[in-house]
């Protein structure tokens, strides 16, 4: 009947409207997911960059670091003169990297 056809058309129209609503919601959620994935990747990169600060290679024993410095400075031929005293430029550079390296360099008389 005409009334049944109208009812079926209304049901179909409502279902198609629901499809459109679902599609819009899926698009919104996909956009939100994309933003979250990007933020997660940025955080992952941040953690990886800062995790390296805790790497054991950043904390070698002073004796080992001193030997590395000595080997490096022996291979270097550059010299710089301070107040009439000749110093290997690489030992000066090594002593300026960080406080820890400066302590090791200054505590290694063979570098100077």
């Amino acid at each position: 009947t005409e009334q049944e056809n109208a009812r079926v058309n209304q049901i179909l129209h409502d279902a198609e409207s629901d499809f459109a609503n679902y599609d819009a919601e899926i698009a919104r959620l996909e956009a939100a997911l994309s933003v979250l994935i990007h933020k997660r990747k940025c955080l992952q990169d941040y953690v990886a960059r800062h995790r390296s600060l805790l790497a054991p290679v950043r904390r070698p024993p002073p004796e080992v670091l001193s030997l590395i410095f000595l080997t490096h400075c022996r291979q270097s031929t550059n010299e710089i003169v301070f107040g009439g005293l000749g110093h290997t430029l690489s030992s000066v550079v090594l002593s300026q990297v960080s406080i820890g390296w400066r302590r090791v360099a200054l505590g290694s008389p063979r570098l100077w």
Side-chain angles (χ1 to χ4, degrees):
T1 68
E2 204 53 43
Q3 189 177 15
E4 289 173 334
N5 281 342
R7 178 73 179 133
V8 169
N9 280 335
Q10 183 61 44
I11 290 171
L12 290 175
H13 180 272
D14 290 346
E16 289 171 351
S17 178
D18 287 345
F19 274 130
N21 290 339
Y22 286 133
D23 288 341
E25 182 68 8
I26 288 170
R28 187 188 68 77
L29 291 173
E30 285 176 340
L33 180 61
S34 178
V35 168
L36 289 174
I37 288 171
H38 175 74
K39 286 182 179 181
R40 183 184 187 281
K41 174 71 171 121
C42 290
L43 182 60
Q44 186 177 21
D45 293 345
Y46 177 84
V47 167
R49 281 192 311 273
H50 288 82
R51 187 179 309 277
S52 67
L53 295 174
L54 301 175
V57 73
R58 296 183 62 85
R59 299 180 311 279
E63 301 82 19
V64 173
L65 196 55
S66 178
L67 289 173
I68 293 169
F69 289 176
L70 185 60
T71 301
H72 174 73
C73 290
R74 283 185 179 161
Q75 294 174 353
S76 175
T77 58
N78 297 327
E79 287 193 354
I80 190 168
V81 177
F82 290 116
L85 299 173
H87 292 283
T88 305
L89 180 60
S90 55
S91 61
V92 172
V93 172
L94 288 172
S95 69
Q96 294 175 347
V97 171
S98 70
I99 292 172
W101 282 30
R102 182 177 187 82
R103 285 185 189 129
V104 171
L106 293 176
S108 304
R110 295 189 305 178
L111 293 179
W112 308 97

